[in-house]
Amino acid sequence: MLIGFLEALFNGISIGAVLLIAALGLAIIFGLMGVINMAHGELMMLGAYTTFVVQNGCKQLGGVWFDSYIFLALMIAFLFTALVGLVLERGVIRYLYGRPLETLLATWGVSLIFQQFVRSVNWLLVVGIFLFCVLFFGGLRVLNARSNGGKVSKWFVGLLLLLSLGITITMGNLLSEQQVFTQPWFGAQNVDVTAPGWLQKGMSVGGLQLPYARLFIMALTIICVGGIYLFLQRSNWGLRIRAVTQNRSMSACLGIPTQKVDAITFALGSGLAGVAGCAISLLGSVGPNTGQNYIIDTFMVVVVGGVGNLAGTIMAALGIGTANFLIGSGTLALVLSPIQPLADLLNFFATTSMAKVLVFALIIAFLQWKPGGIFPQKGRTVDV
């Protein structure tokens, strides 16, 4: 029984480690900008699919490329999702600051777009988006340059939009006759990511089996937490982020570019979501709905830990991840079997979905006692 409990505890901590990586980015974004980003789970999903693409590319090369592809996938997933997050902040979030309901609905809509994009993406869609962006935004750039700083007429912008759409649709109709352009890259079905050979093994410690993949996830989490701590505490931009978190108005008065801080923060949080997606791909198959399995737990980690607090986020992530696994796997019910009424109650919740219900109920009870989380947020913005 002891070995089984320790294995379940180890697996729960590894799941908590994934939640921690994802919650780090969300805690920074929510704590600094007050943005409830419902698309954070889909950014994790994009990071997981990026890992799948890198794996397929390195598998063709074979040898040392496939054995070490996970490190390349981590870097590319971080950069790709950070870029997606930057575009999302510049194009959508920036215009919705101070309007939490509109931000929630907008990011929820973006999450649905990302899910459908992964199901439907093919070369035809990619070429169409690229062609439209070149025609429309390139045309806007030319018009702005020729206007010598003057305002471009809305009629010209509308005409440029119609021309760009027309050319893109025409080109799409021509390319749609070729099957190679219409074949989906991923489809609606889940895809499997094969871990490198050295991550598929494990080690035994006193009869306790420790898979290398889960040890790797824990080590990755430690590196991410350490990197974020050093960035926030020892870098100039980290100082600016902490200043804006404490008091945005005063930071702006002191010359800190708050809009640029927001963009960097959102890109950093999105990049961490991509790293979390890469870690998720080592635990199971990846699908368009992968992010939905983690987004609720991630938000609970941020709220329970205390908005924007690193230590609270660590404690909440490990606690929630471990509790979910111990309850959902029935391990806790087995350990408490001498206490029959409590064991019967835990057996009722001994499924993955019901374990989330029980943990959520416990979190509600905890927040009645400490509404600000384990470590409540401090600063003048809290008083306001």
Side-chain angles (χ1 to χ4, degrees):
M1 181 183 293
L2 178 61
I3 296 298
F5 175 76
L6 292 177
E7 287 184 352
L9 184 64
F10 174 78
N11 291 331
I13 292 174
S14 66
I15 294 175
V18 176
L19 289 179
L20 177 55
I21 301 176
L24 280 176
L26 196 60
I28 295 172
I29 293 172
F30 191 34
L32 173 68
M33 305 158 68
V35 172
I36 303 175
N37 181 18
M38 295 299 293
H40 197 78
E42 276 57 49
L43 292 170
M44 295 170 63
M45 177 263 294
L46 291 179
Y49 271 103
T50 302
T51 305
F52 174 73
V53 172
V54 174
Q55 169 216 251
N56 288 342
C58 291
K59 187 180 291 186
Q60 301 296 325
L61 299 174
V64 68
W65 285 97
F66 182 73
D67 289 337
S68 58
Y69 86 83
I70 192 66
F71 301 105
L72 180 62
L74 283 170
M75 292 185 287
I76 296 178
F78 178 85
L79 294 175
F80 176 66
T81 52
L83 179 61
V84 172
L86 183 62
V87 172
L88 180 59
E89 194 277 335
R90 293 276 185 171
V92 179
I93 304 297
R94 174 159 296 186
Y95 304 100
L96 299 174
Y97 287 138
R99 298 155 64 185
L101 179 60
E102 288 86 344
T103 304
L104 187 149
L105 293 175
T107 53
W108 180 61
V110 169
S111 72
L112 298 179
I113 292 172
F114 283 161
Q115 289 180 35
Q116 190 57 43
F117 176 81
V118 168
R119 294 187 182 99
S120 307
V121 63
N122 52 31
W123 282 113
L124 182 62
L125 182 61
V126 172
V127 171
I129 293 174
F130 176 78
L131 181 61
F132 175 79
C133 290
V134 170
L135 292 174
F136 182 69
F137 294 107
L140 280 180
R141 190 180 184 88
V142 172
L143 289 175
N144 288 326
R146 290 185 174 274
S147 65
N148 296 322
K151 189 175 182 180
V152 180
S153 173
K154 293 182 179 179
W155 291 100
F156 284 107
V157 176
L159 181 60
L160 178 62
L161 177 62
L162 291 175
L163 287 174
S164 301
L165 284 173
I167 294 173
T168 302
I169 292 173
T170 303
M171 181 62 69
N173 290 332
L174 293 175
L175 294 178
S176 62
E177 298 176 0
Q178 305 293 328
Q179 186 177 2
V180 66
F181 286 98
T182 59
Q183 183 70 27
W185 288 2
F186 310 114
Q189 71 279 4
N190 287 11
V191 296
D192 291 320
V193 175
T194 304
W198 57 277
L199 279 180
Q200 297 178 18
K201 302 175 183 178
M203 60 185 295
S204 179
V205 179
L208 179 64
Q209 294 296 323
L210 304 178
Y212 285 151
R214 294 183 181 271
L215 290 173
F216 177 80
I217 291 173
M218 292 180 183
L220 177 64
T221 303
I222 294 173
I223 293 172
C224 289
V225 171
I228 290 296
Y229 177 81
L230 292 176
F231 174 75
L232 292 177
Q233 300 294 329
R234 303 295 176 86
S235 69
N236 291 331
W237 279 108
L239 178 62
R240 295 184 180 109
I241 289 174
R242 288 187 288 122
V244 174
T245 303
Q246 289 289 320
N247 194 319
R248 177 179 290 270
S249 300
M250 182 59 70
S251 300
C253 292
L254 293 174
I256 295 177
T258 55
Q259 288 191 344
K260 188 176 291 186
V261 169
D262 289 338
I264 291 175
T265 303
F266 205 91
L268 177 62
S270 301
L272 288 171
V275 173
C278 186
I280 288 172
S281 66
L282 297 176
L283 298 178
S285 59
V286 176
N289 297 320
T290 296
Q292 297 297 314
N293 299 329
Y294 292 89
I295 185 64
I296 301 300
D297 288 341
T298 305
F299 271 111
M300 288 195 293
V301 167
V302 174
V303 173
V304 171
V307 176
N309 188 282
L310 186 60
T313 302
I314 295 172
M315 294 175 61
L318 296 179
I320 291 175
T322 304
N324 269 325
F325 192 87
L326 289 178
I327 297 172
S329 63
T331 305
L332 197 57
L334 185 63
V335 172
L336 297 176
S337 56
I339 309 175
Q340 194 59 41
L342 187 57
D344 292 339
L345 177 64
L346 291 173
N347 276 322
F348 177 76
F349 291 99
T351 61
T352 303
S353 57
M354 291 302 294
K356 290 181 181 293
V357 173
L358 179 58
V359 172
F360 190 59
L362 294 174
I363 288 174
I364 293 175
F366 173 78
L367 292 177
Q368 296 298 315
W369 172 48
K370 298 196 68 173
I374 299 174
F375 297 108
Q377 191 179 20
K378 299 177 181 180
R380 294 181 182 272
T381 54
V382 179
D383 299 331
V384 174

